[in-house]
Amino acid sequence: MSDDVSILRQECLDALAAASGHRQWDEIRVSVLGKSGRLTGLLKQLGRMDASERKLRGAQLNRLRDELTRAIEARGDELEAAALDARLIAECVDISVPVPTGRRGGIHPVSQAVEEITAIFGAMGFAIAEGPDIETDWHNFSALNTPEHHSARTDHDTFYLPAEADGRNRVLRTQTSGVQIRTMLGNEPPIRIIAPGRTYRADHDATHSPMFHQCEGLVVDRNITLGHLKGCLIEFLRVFFGKPALPVRFRASYFPFTEPSMEVDIGWSRKTGEIGGGEDWLEVLGAGMVHPRVLANCGLDPEEWQGFAFGMGIERLSMLKNGIPDLRSFYESDVRWLQHYGTDPLTPALLHEGF
Ligand code: DAH
């Protein structure tokens, strides 16, 4: 190896060994292999050499380039691993250490919203119902009047599970609405329940997550009317958002399991984001009168029993109430985020205030 080549080699290897961070490492990489790097410069000179000299020198330089490229990559990996180790140590949380005063964990905004929703509907006489996350296709769709080839099935980006021996197809529930079916099959009316829980759809961006939470509501009794639905939901939204005069609008829509169906909007300002102010409307939940076919699927005579149902996205309500811009942050387990948006566990939310 000629002198200048071996000097370049040694200097590069020494500099790499001495580099203590990504920036230094990158400077070395650029100074050797970059467009105006030293090795690149030597390679460019090959063109001016005569054939025999070029052959010898070219082989040397190519070998050096391979060696240094490998050395630079290896050192880069090492520095990256060291930086990660340092971060893990710096951000390590020793859960056995007593909590410093003034610094506590917080209740996650999803749990907080579930508690608030539960308290508000609890005060209206609703009980909590539950259903499984792994749901039969029948409970999630068919019994809810969504036939086999209906577009609502594809709209939901369903996660299907492998068929089981009992012949029943199962899905990760795409909505909590199946709990309506389970509740009507397992209980005599009158029924008044909400069902908060996890739901799943194959969708992922700033406003969609493959796992999210919904809260279903169902009332079945004699002589239930749209007036009951409206009164109940207006009251809920005004208490939840803490705005006694919150404008609420009911807009005709379609769901297979309700007739009539509607989307429920609240007033807000697009400009300032303020809930309850301004001229604009924001959709917050779906609702409707339980479809007679759904009642009949659950063995209830629609001539005798009527009901209303509603479903809301819990993260969506929490994002609106707390000004949280990105849905994905709910699941990143970032302590700083939790400290910012979480609720102090020892300060009970004043749930019934203004109710
Ligand atoms: N399940 C619906 C969805 O996920 C939401 C919904 C709409 C639920 C209307 C209801 C209802 O109970 O009546 O989009």
Side-chain angles (χ1 to χ4, degrees), residues 260-288:
S261 304
M262 58 211 71
E263 311 270 3
V264 184
D265 301 339
I266 56 173
W268 77 307
S269 159
R270 193 178 299 277
K271 223 191 265 153
T272 64
E274 190 204 339
I275 304 275
E279 304 281 280
D280 305 301
W281 294 99
L282 198 60
E283 178 195 321
V284 286
L285 53 92

Side-chain angles (χ1 to χ4, degrees), residues 156 174-175 177 180 201 214 216-217 255 257-258 286-288 309-311:
H156 278 198
T174 60
Q175 51 187 355
S177 304
Q180 290 186 35
R201 292 184 197 180
Q214 287 189 340
E216 196 74 17
F255 296 101
F257 37 86
T258 44
F310 52 88

